[in-house]
Amino acid sequence: MPMPDLPRPDEDMLQRHLREVRQLLAKQQLVEEVTRRQRMPHQRLVENITHRQNLARLQRKLDRLHPADIAYILETLPLDERLYVWDLVKADKDGDILLEVSDAVRPSLLETMDRDELKTAAEALDADELADLIPDLPTDVAQEVLTALDQREQAQVREAMSYAEGTVGALMDFDLVKVREDVTLEVVARYLRRFDALPDHTDKLFVVDRDERLRGILTLEALLINEPETPVSDVMQASELILFRAEDEARQAAHAFERYDLVSVPVVDKQRRLVARLTVSDVVDYIQEENEAEILSQAGLEEEEDIFAPILRSVKNRWAWLAINLVTAVIASRVINLFEDSIAQLVALAALMPIVAGIGGNAGNQTITMIVRAIAMGQVQPSAWRRLMVKELGVALINGLVWGGVIGVFAGVVYQNLPLGVVMVAAMALNLLLAATAGVLIPLLRQRLGRDPALGSSVMITALTDSGGFFIFLGLATLFLL
Amino acid sequence: MPMPDLPRPDEDMLQRHLREVRQLLAKQQLVEEVTRRQRMPHQRLVENITHRQNLARLQRKLDRLHPADIAYILETLPLDERLYVWDLVKADKDGDILLEVSDAVRPSLLETMDRDELKTAAEALDADELADLIPDLPTDVAQEVLTALDQREQAQVREAMSYAEGTVGALMDFDLVKVREDVTLEVVARYLRRFDALPDHTDKLFVVDRDERLRGILTLEALLINEPETPVSDVMQASELILFRAEDEARQAAHAFERYDLVSVPVVDKQRRLVARLTVSDVVDYIQEENEAEILSQAGLEEEEDIFAPILRSVKNRWAWLAINLVTAVIASRVINLFEDSIAQLVALAALMPIVAGIGGNAGNQTITMIVRAIAMGQVQPSAWRRLMVKELGVALINGLVWGGVIGVFAGVVYQNLPLGVVMVAAMALNLLLAATAGVLIPLLRQRLGRDPALGSSVMITALTDSGGFFIFLGLATLFLL
């Protein structure tokens, strides 16, 4: 007999949570609306039975939800409903939820909290989590929270805060289990039974000496499959350990997690003393944030946006790239202006020139994206650039002749002007060759100068292929057609 | 006294491996070159001592490397060196490496292997891994490999292959540890000690009944912190379990891993029988592949490209988007052509029109990217679209007036033509409003039609803001200036 379907906490489940919360909210608004229409004093509203039952149901619903799910619901709700729900959430969950919500939504929640609420929320967090939240708190609240910690935790928070974003230090956590190498697995097992819970993502214990130096790791697997009387030193892994330093790049650490399928990795200092560990859940969050940032910046958005953000905040998030785009567009416009006379003589040039520029931009973006990805994966050796250039120029030449040929025939036929068609083919081929050259050289040059090869790469190549395309096409036309 | 730095297998380490391999390869090529110049017969070359020592060192180096690292090195090497190294890799690693290399590079390796090598490589893999590789093998080899498996494994491979890409079934693995609920933790511990190794990423054991129905999960944590005489049923988690079905969307599963910080999750069938499990390492790979695909498709690349691919293969990977781009560019060109007479009368229009189209495209991409991201995160409820539209129109109006104003003043001054400046402001504002409307409506419409809101969104919006921008600007100019 088939068992009844259990609700599964995947996205359908999450959507169901969201629907329920929204239905309860809608009812609540209805009750308040009715009460207001009847001009009931506020006192009576609060005593209204439907209202209170409804509120209690909403409250119970929220109490049962995982902080990550509440964070999701808060992000999805428009501002007024968001703050209504936020008010109902149990204070002990506040800290976790603040960590889970997106950077874009967090400020709207923090703004509504008073000092005591902020302190309670902060105090529920671990040192590494606190380090993430503190920069968003008012300075005096942050100070009070810090001084309430014990010495060790204070040191940990300060340490975690001292590492820049994008380093292992900014992601690592301090919650881990250490053991000695001269004991047996039986002793380790007895020691673990004294815990109420192990730190999240404990797949290994860290074997350290008296000076906290990392001697090796004891996987839970080794602990479980070996006989209890085995000494730790016999089954711990001590060589070819994967270790990070707090100052290592998070990007490199993420690659290592991906390549070697890791769950947790020790973080050590220069003296090989165990400082903290990095877990796969922090790495997954990091990967997602990085990808998010890459996709947003490609579209010209400075950062993630609260979709219900006030209009002016959105304008601010978008203006920088629009301004850059405006400058490059004006330059392209000035290039066209150089050939005013040519266009006046042959207006077809004005209609055809955006084709040359557009295809060049598209092809250039293909090349630069591929090269930037390959650099990011560490697959482009300095010695390879000649080979890459030859290949990209070959691709550009073929594409230029094929698509340029198609569009050249089109132009020749539509405007009954064969030479115009020939100029079109030549301009397309030359602009694609320009796009390919720039698509290889810009990221390689930026890499050699120690800059991020990705940043603004799409804007730069498009600016070049626009101005370049107009110049090449109008220039050739002026030389050969007029 | 500080301990000496251990090499850490992060990216620096990987780069060092790569350098060593390349140095050995270069030496090898030198030796072969010298031998060839001296017209030594091939026999003598192989016997050449330097050559053999060198080869042995390269071989030893490769034997010590992790399959993922060898895969990385193979991806980074040009084709001839890649195949030289691939030849030297121990056969027992072939299968793992084939799984690790990118889809773009795998064919170049498979092409060089004969039937027996392919069979040996395939036989070293688990059922779920084999399911990933089999589609790339010649049919007869695949058949032979399959028939060599036992019944259970054959069924697993067929099951894994039966699920489409993008489902949990395509990612899950069958290697897991099951226990009964009526035994004590002591019995479980004794059972585990009979294993030589636990499956990768074992953070929990699966509690099933006689019919293989999932009763609950026993985390290693629960196993370790509780007293040995406790029965499994007392400490297993049996309610509010996170479960997947093989047919669930991988995207949703990935969200759940991210939200709830999971390491492994049971996959069950409709009768709640345990089928397999999904682990975080498969989810991390999936997330990376998805993000990669999104970034590539935004740039108009069909799929990942082997950077050393032959030119024609690259042309094929890129032609589809160039063709689409060509069609939209031709349409925009036809729109301009409608206003040939206007441009002939006022050539400044030709120089200014790309500015209107360009900024519109940029703003439209900002809007559509934000909406597509929000839809992907499940944050856009159908009821929210009105609110989003109002917000985006507001942002567009402000940007249009501000940037349109700047560019209007520019146009008015440069061309000494105030009305032209005014038309420029109006055209910019209208085109940004068009961009905002389309940026909200296109993804919402596609979502309602059950399509992927992201696919080609950038191309569509750019096509619209190009043609629309030209039409609005030239139309207004024709109406009011001529």
Side-chain angles (χ1 to χ4, degrees):
Chain A
M1 200 188 68
M3 287 176 87
D5 264 21
L6 266 199
R8 291 164 304 139
D10 56 13
E11 207 136 85
D12 294 335
M13 186 71 188
L14 199 54
Q15 292 300 333
R16 196 153 55 232
H17 293 323
L18 180 62
R19 262 200 309 281
E20 282 178 44
V21 169
R22 298 209 67 171
Q23 278 162 5
L24 290 169
L25 278 171
K27 273 194 207 160
Q28 203 65 345
Q29 280 166 348
L30 195 68
V31 173
E32 293 187 13
E33 180 70 7
V34 169
T35 330
R36 197 161 48 242
R37 292 237 179 118
Q38 295 172 347
R39 301 231 170 90
M40 282 194 199
H42 183 68
Q43 189 59 27
R44 299 256 311 271
L45 162 65
V46 176
E47 285 167 4
N48 178 311
I49 288 180
T50 329
H51 185 271
R52 279 165 57 191
Q53 282 179 340
N54 209 359
L55 202 63
R57 278 178 60 195
L58 190 51
Q59 184 86 62
R60 273 201 308 276
K61 174 87 205 164
L62 291 172
D63 289 349
R64 279 199 311 268
L65 287 178
H66 189 285
D69 292 341
I70 300 183
Y72 163 80
I73 288 173
L74 291 171
E75 287 171 5
T76 312
L77 293 176
L79 200 61
D80 48 348
E81 297 182 10
R82 181 188 296 165
L83 298 183
Y84 194 98
V85 168
W86 179 232
D87 234 30
L88 291 181
V89 171
K90 280 262 169 64
D92 59 344
K93 277 184 182 167
D94 280 2
D96 284 328
I97 295 170
L98 284 172
L99 286 178
E100 291 280 351
V101 293
S102 69
D103 290 344
V105 167
R106 189 173 307 119
S108 70
L109 302 180
L110 285 172
E111 275 167 18
T112 68
M113 298 173 75
D114 64 28
R115 294 170 56 91
D116 286 337
E117 285 173 329
L118 287 173
K119 275 177 61 185
T120 317
E123 281 160 9
L125 298 176
D126 289 338
D128 62 307
E129 298 169 332
L130 199 49
D132 291 340
L133 188 61
I134 277 189
D136 290 339
L137 297 180
T139 327
D140 54 336
V141 175
Q143 202 51 52
E144 274 185 57
V145 171
L146 266 181
T147 42
L149 297 175
D150 67 32
Q151 290 285 342
R152 205 174 113 265
E153 282 175 318
Q154 269 193 38
Q156 288 176 343
V157 173
R158 286 188 206 283
E159 165 135 31
M161 287 180 67
S162 71
Y163 293 102
E165 241 184 273
T167 63
V168 167
L171 301 177
M172 65 191 186
D173 86 75
F174 299 95
D175 209 11
L176 45 78
V177 181
K178 294 178 272 191
V179 293
R180 293 262 184 271
E181 65 183 307
D182 53 4
V183 299
T184 63
L185 298 184
E186 172 66 35
V187 173
V188 173
R190 273 209 310 272
Y191 172 59
L192 291 182
R193 284 200 286 272
R194 301 218 305 260
F195 282 75
D196 293 327
L198 297 182
D200 286 343
H201 296 94
T202 295
D203 68 323
K204 51 178 69 86
L205 313 177
F206 302 93
V207 186
V208 295
D209 64 17
R210 274 163 210 286
D211 300 322
E212 295 281 296
R213 290 221 182 89
L214 187 71
R215 302 283 303 165
I217 55 171
L218 176 68
T219 60
L220 295 192
E221 179 188 41
L223 175 63
L224 287 166
I225 64 174
N226 290 293
E227 295 301 323
E229 54 275 15
T230 321
V232 167
S233 53
D234 278 14
V235 293
M236 75 180 189
Q237 189 195 334
S239 66
E240 304 211 341
L241 282 186
I242 297 180
L243 309 174
F244 296 126
R245 295 264 188 71
E247 58 272 22
D248 283 348
E249 277 182 42
R251 194 177 55 78
Q252 296 198 353
H255 280 312
F257 268 81
E258 208 190 324
R259 231 172 6 240
Y260 309 123
D261 297 340
L262 305 168
V263 173
S264 76
V265 172
V267 179
V268 297
D269 67 9
K270 281 199 184 119
Q271 280 76 45
R272 218 172 183 247
R273 282 189 302 248
L274 182 64
V275 176
R277 64 181 185 135
L278 187 63
T279 69
V280 68
S281 77
D282 293 322
V283 168
V284 168
D285 291 346
Y286 168 80
I287 290 176
Q288 286 293 52
E289 275 169 31
E290 281 300 287
N291 283 316
E292 184 80 14
E294 182 168 353
I295 288 164
L296 292 180
S297 86
Q298 269 200 356
L301 294 160
E302 295 246 300
E303 54 183 28
E304 203 180 348
E305 208 171 282
D306 175 1
I307 55 169
F308 299 110
I311 289 178
L312 281 179
R313 197 177 292 171
S314 293
V315 169
K316 209 177 133 221
N317 189 27
R318 306 184 192 181
W319 84 268
W321 285 91
L322 286 179
I324 293 173
N325 193 236
L326 198 71
V327 171
T328 65
V330 166
I331 294 173
S333 166
R334 298 316 291 162
V335 170
I336 298 172
N337 203 56
L338 292 177
F339 299 96
E340 223 174 5
D341 294 342
S342 312
I343 294 174
Q345 284 178 57
L346 185 57
V347 180
L349 296 182
L352 292 174
M353 66 187 185
I355 300 182
V356 178
I359 308 286
N362 194 324
N365 269 305
Q366 290 180 334
T367 299
I368 210 167
T369 300
M370 205 206 64
I371 304 278
V372 165
R373 300 302 302 165
I375 290 179
M377 305 297 287
Q379 287 174 352
V380 179
Q381 300 302 306
S383 58
W385 80 267
R386 230 176 266 268
R387 224 186 260 249
L388 282 176
M389 185 65 98
V390 169
K391 179 194 148 193
E392 289 302 318
L393 287 178
V395 173
L397 195 64
I398 293 179
N399 276 330
L401 293 178
V402 170
W403 298 119
V406 170
I407 209 75
V409 168
F410 163 82
V413 169
V414 166
Y415 295 99
Q416 295 287 316
N417 185 338
L418 183 63
L420 181 61
V422 176
V423 163
M424 197 77 194
V425 182
M428 285 276 280
L430 286 177
N431 200 28
L432 290 197
L433 289 174
L434 171 68
T437 311
V440 175
L441 287 188
I442 291 176
L444 284 181
L445 215 65
R446 290 176 72 112
Q447 182 193 26
R448 217 167 274 192
L449 296 175
R451 308 269 173 77
D452 176 3
L455 196 69
S457 61
S458 171
V459 173
M460 285 205 300
I461 194 107
T462 309
L464 197 70
T465 50
D466 272 1
S467 293
F470 292 140
F471 185 82
I472 292 170
F473 176 60
L474 296 175
L476 287 178
T478 306
L479 281 178
F480 296 108
L481 298 182
L482 304 174
Chain B
M1 199 190 69
M3 287 175 86
D5 264 22
L6 266 199
R8 291 164 304 140
D10 56 13
E11 207 137 84
D12 295 335
M13 186 71 188
L14 198 54
Q15 292 300 332
R16 197 152 56 232
H17 292 325
L18 180 61
R19 260 199 311 281
E20 281 178 45
V21 169
R22 298 208 67 171
Q23 280 162 4
L24 289 169
L25 277 171
K27 273 193 208 161
Q28 202 65 346
Q29 281 166 348
L30 196 68
V31 174
E32 293 187 14
E33 181 71 7
V34 168
T35 330
R36 197 160 49 242
R37 292 235 179 119
Q38 297 173 342
R39 301 236 169 87
M40 284 194 195
H42 183 68
Q43 187 62 25
R44 298 254 314 271
L45 162 66
V46 175
E47 284 166 6
N48 179 310
I49 288 179
T50 330
H51 185 271
R52 278 165 58 190
Q53 283 179 340
N54 208 0
L55 203 62
R57 279 179 58 196
L58 189 52
Q59 183 87 60
R60 273 200 309 276
K61 174 87 206 164
L62 291 172
D63 289 349
R64 279 199 312 269
L65 288 178
H66 188 285
D69 292 342
I70 300 183
Y72 163 81
I73 288 173
L74 291 171
E75 288 171 3
T76 312
L77 293 176
L79 199 61
D80 48 348
E81 297 183 9
R82 181 188 295 164
L83 298 183
Y84 194 99
V85 169
W86 179 232
D87 234 31
L88 292 180
V89 171
K90 280 262 168 65
D92 59 345
K93 277 185 183 167
D94 280 3
D96 284 327
I97 295 170
L98 285 172
L99 286 178
E100 291 280 351
V101 294
S102 69
D103 291 344
V105 167
R106 189 174 307 119
S108 69
L109 302 181
L110 285 172
E111 275 166 18
T112 68
M113 299 172 75
D114 64 26
R115 293 171 58 91
D116 286 337
E117 285 172 329
L118 287 173
K119 274 178 63 184
T120 317
E123 281 160 8
L125 298 176
D126 289 338
D128 63 306
E129 298 169 331
L130 199 50
D132 291 339
L133 188 60
I134 276 190
D136 290 339
L137 297 180
T139 327
D140 54 336
V141 176
Q143 201 52 52
E144 274 185 57
V145 171
L146 266 181
T147 42
L149 297 176
D150 67 32
Q151 290 284 342
R152 204 173 114 265
E153 282 176 318
Q154 269 194 38
Q156 288 176 344
V157 173
R158 285 187 207 284
E159 165 134 33
M161 288 180 66
S162 72
Y163 293 102
E165 242 184 272
T167 63
V168 167
L171 301 177
M172 64 191 186
D173 87 74
F174 299 96
D175 210 10
L176 46 77
V177 181
K178 294 179 271 192
V179 294
R180 292 261 184 272
E181 65 184 307
D182 53 5
V183 299
T184 62
L185 298 184
E186 172 65 36
V187 172
V188 173
R190 272 209 310 273
Y191 173 59
L192 292 182
R193 284 200 285 273
R194 300 217 305 259
F195 282 75
D196 292 326
L198 298 181
D200 285 344
H201 296 95
T202 295
D203 68 324
K204 51 177 70 84
L205 313 178
F206 302 94
V207 186
V208 294
D209 64 16
R210 274 164 209 287
D211 300 322
E212 295 280 296
R213 290 220 182 90
L214 187 70
R215 303 282 304 165
I217 55 170
L218 176 68
T219 60
L220 294 192
E221 179 188 41
L223 175 62
L224 287 166
I225 65 175
N226 290 291
E227 295 302 322
E229 52 275 15
T230 321
V232 167
S233 53
D234 279 12
V235 293
M236 75 179 189
Q237 188 195 336
S239 66
E240 305 212 340
L241 283 186
I242 297 180
L243 309 174
F244 295 126
R245 295 263 188 72
E247 58 272 22
D248 284 346
E249 277 182 42
R251 195 177 54 78
Q252 296 197 352
H255 280 312
F257 268 81
E258 208 189 325
R259 235 180 354 247
Y260 309 123
D261 298 340
L262 305 168
V263 173
S264 75
V265 171
V267 179
V268 296
D269 67 10
K270 282 202 183 115
Q271 279 77 45
R272 216 170 185 247
R273 281 188 303 247
L274 182 64
V275 176
R277 63 180 186 138
L278 186 63
T279 68
V280 68
S281 77
D282 293 322
V283 168
V284 167
D285 290 345
Y286 168 79
I287 290 176
Q288 286 294 51
E289 275 169 32
E290 282 299 288
N291 284 316
E292 183 80 14
E294 182 167 354
I295 288 164
L296 292 179
S297 86
Q298 269 199 356
L301 294 159
E302 295 246 301
E303 56 183 28
E304 203 180 348
E305 209 171 280
D306 175 359
I307 56 169
F308 299 110
I311 289 179
L312 281 179
R313 197 178 291 170
S314 294
V315 169
K316 209 177 134 221
N317 189 27
R318 305 185 194 181
W319 84 270
W321 285 92
L322 286 179
I324 293 172
N325 192 237
L326 197 71
V327 171
T328 65
V330 165
I331 294 173
S333 166
R334 297 318 288 163
V335 170
I336 298 172
N337 202 58
L338 292 177
F339 299 95
E340 223 173 3
D341 295 342
S342 313
I343 294 173
Q345 285 179 57
L346 185 57
V347 180
L349 297 182
L352 292 175
M353 66 186 186
I355 301 182
V356 178
I359 309 285
N362 195 321
N365 269 305
Q366 290 180 335
T367 299
I368 210 167
T369 300
M370 207 207 63
I371 304 277
V372 165
R373 299 303 302 165
I375 289 179
M377 305 298 286
Q379 286 173 353
V380 179
Q381 300 302 306
S383 58
W385 79 268
R386 232 177 265 269
R387 224 186 259 250
L388 283 176
M389 185 64 99
V390 169
K391 180 193 148 193
E392 289 302 319
L393 287 178
V395 173
L397 195 64
I398 293 178
N399 275 331
L401 293 178
V402 170
W403 297 119
V406 170
I407 209 74
V409 169
F410 163 83
V413 169
V414 166
Y415 294 99
Q416 296 287 316
N417 186 338
L418 184 63
L420 180 61
V422 176
V423 163
M424 197 77 194
V425 182
M428 285 275 280
L430 285 177
N431 200 28
L432 289 197
L433 289 175
L434 171 68
T437 311
V440 175
L441 288 188
I442 291 176
L444 284 182
L445 215 67
R446 289 176 72 112
Q447 182 193 26
R448 217 167 273 192
L449 296 175
R451 308 269 173 77
D452 176 2
L455 195 69
S457 61
S458 172
V459 173
M460 284 204 303
I461 194 105
T462 308
L464 197 68
T465 50
D466 272 0
S467 293
F470 293 141
F471 186 81
I472 292 170
F473 176 62
L474 297 174
L476 288 179
T478 307
L479 281 178
F480 296 107
L481 299 182
L482 305 175

